[in-house]
Amino acid sequence: MTSRRRSDEREGEKMSVEIYDLLPESAPQPPGPRMSRVRRPLRESTKFTDERATTNPEVAIKEQLAGDSRYTAMRVEKAQEFIDDLVLPNEGPIVAPGFRLVPAAAARSLNLDAAADDPADSLDDIVLDQPTTAPAAAVDGNIVATFVDGIRGQNIFDVLDSCLLAQLVANGRCDRESEPVGWTRSYGHVLEKLAWVVPAFDFFGLRSQSGQLSMSAALLKVISGIMTARQVDLVSAAIELMQGLPVDDRRLQIFRSNSVEANAGNFQVDSVGESENGMVSLKLCAFNFRTSENVTDVLWWRFNSQTTLLQATRTTFVLNTHIYDRIRDAVAAKLGNRAQKYIAGLPDFSDEEGGGDH
């Protein structure tokens, strides 16, 4: 771990980041740019006929798996119909010089040659039908995703692909920067249709009594409230890796172009794990902000709390792999070749604290 990272952590501790509840739209607004503060549950149900709000996604998954085969068949059918009906935003031709034509792991499984493999891309070494022996990290549109070791390779690509499809659909329904809360709720709604259990969630605000705040300190405050110490270390290591990349690195370019636009931003930092019984869970920490300052590298940006409104949410999504196994091809077909534009693995990292020599 570098001395720069230790220095940032010490500064983050001194900043005393405060979490506060967002006010109703009609209440007086705190200092800073105005943003929506309407608090609504994402959805009243994880099942199509269930009116209860989900608070424990793992319990909901167990209930789903305990149901008869007709329920699974119904979910698969509805998911297929949902995917077929999706119309993704027209982004024009995808220009990706130096990108892999297909992920190397997928190419190997299909006996194809992968073009222009990036030796620094950790996704290239993932074996689809085997659990990973080291943690991994990737940029997926506006997400920095980390994966603890022991996750089956196929599940890693399923998480990245489904999250990318949800982003693209949300892009077509809401403006990512001007409607960040609506965008995130739309993103979650799509994932729910794609076999994820998505609990209701709300946004909260972040600020510092000193008036000065760093995004790294705010991020640490949020992720520490839901992730294990190991997962927090892996996220910190992934962000440190990104900070050390050349300014023209395609992974930085992917994240920047999908998370920040001038004075507003919307991004996620996620950690994915898999239990011994194969349950895949994603700990999502979503952030959005609006500011009077100009922003480029948001993950290590320092800002004034009085001129910046920063809000976040954190929750756990769980994937019903029994359903996703049957819609995987439909998701891949809908994405087409977009994965090569939006998904890229970060360099390998593995030591006791999730850092490494790089």
Side-chain angles (χ1 to χ4, degrees), residues 244-309:
L245 294 174
V247 294
D248 60 348
D249 187 275
R250 69 185 177 94
R251 288 156 289 204
L252 278 180
Q253 297 300 321
I254 290 171
F255 184 74
R256 285 173 178 162
S257 62
N258 289 280
S259 61
V260 180
E261 183 175 336
N263 307 108
N266 182 355
F267 68 95
Q268 296 175 34
V269 176
D270 298 344
S271 179
V272 181
E274 182 175 338
S275 65
E276 291 182 359
N277 62 3
M279 184 177 295
V280 177
S281 61
L282 182 153
K283 294 182 178 179
L284 173 145
C285 295
F287 302 80
N288 63 75
F289 66 89
R290 186 173 297 169
T291 182
S292 58
E293 305 175 30
N294 198 30
V295 184
T296 52
D297 293 317
V298 62
L299 293 175
W300 40 94
W301 170 49
R302 296 177 183 274
F303 58 92
N304 189 319
S305 294
Q306 302 303 311
T307 58
T308 301
L309 178 63

Side-chain angles (χ1 to χ4, degrees), residues 122-295:
S122 59
L123 300 181
D124 292 347
D125 297 324
I126 293 175
V127 181
L128 295 180
D129 60 354
Q130 296 293 326
T132 56
T133 57
V139 171
D140 186 2
N142 74 341
I143 302 172
V144 178
T146 56
F147 301 86
V148 301
D149 54 296
I151 301 177
R152 191 168 68 94
Q154 183 64 70
N155 289 334
I156 291 178
F157 288 103
D158 290 348
V159 169
L160 293 172
D161 285 350
S162 59
C163 289
L164 175 57
L165 183 59
Q167 287 182 62
L168 296 176
V169 175
N171 287 346
R173 295 178 177 177
C174 298
D175 184 90
R176 192 170 49 215
E177 279 74 31
S178 65
E179 304 172 274
V181 174
W183 186 96
T184 305
R185 296 192 187 285
S186 179
Y187 168 84
H189 177 71
V190 175
L191 285 181
E192 185 181 31
K193 295 289 191 178
L194 300 179
W196 288 85
V197 173
V198 179
F201 58 86
D202 289 317
F203 281 80
F204 50 82
L206 295 112
R207 63 189 172 200
S208 172
Q209 293 295 339
S210 68
Q212 296 295 317
L213 187 61
S214 71
M215 187 63 76
S216 59
L219 191 149
L220 183 63
K221 176 75 172 182
V222 173
I223 67 175
S224 296
I226 192 172
M227 297 183 188
T228 66
R230 171 65 169 164
Q231 290 175 315
V232 170
D233 283 336
L234 292 178
V235 169
S236 299
I239 292 174
E240 182 186 6
L241 279 170
M242 292 182 66
Q243 190 171 9
L245 294 174
V247 294
D248 60 348
D249 187 275
R250 69 185 177 94
R251 288 156 289 204
L252 278 180
Q253 297 300 321
I254 290 171
F255 184 74
R256 285 173 178 162
S257 62
N258 289 280
S259 61
V260 180
E261 183 175 336
N263 307 108
N266 182 355
F267 68 95
Q268 296 175 34
V269 176
D270 298 344
S271 179
V272 181
E274 182 175 338
S275 65
E276 291 182 359
N277 62 3
M279 184 177 295
V280 177
S281 61
L282 182 153
K283 294 182 178 179
L284 173 145
C285 295
F287 302 80
N288 63 75
F289 66 89
R290 186 173 297 169
T291 182
S292 58
E293 305 175 30
N294 198 30
V295 184

Side-chain angles (χ1 to χ4, degrees), residues 58 60-77 79-80 152 154-155 158 193-197 274-280 318-329:
E58 293 190 4
I61 278 285
K62 291 177 181 178
E63 290 178 353
Q64 290 182 5
L65 297 180
D68 59 33
S69 59
R70 291 175 298 177
Y71 173 72
T72 298
M74 179 192 71
R75 285 295 307 271
V76 170
E77 181 180 358
Q80 292 276 9
R152 191 168 68 94
Q154 183 64 70
N155 289 334
D158 290 348
K193 295 289 191 178
L194 300 179
W196 288 85
V197 173
E274 182 175 338
S275 65
E276 291 182 359
N277 62 3
M279 184 177 295
V280 177
V318 179
L319 180 63
N320 188 327
T321 55
H322 293 268
I323 293 174
Y324 196 87
D325 284 346
R326 297 165 65 177
I327 65 171
R328 178 182 299 117
D329 291 345

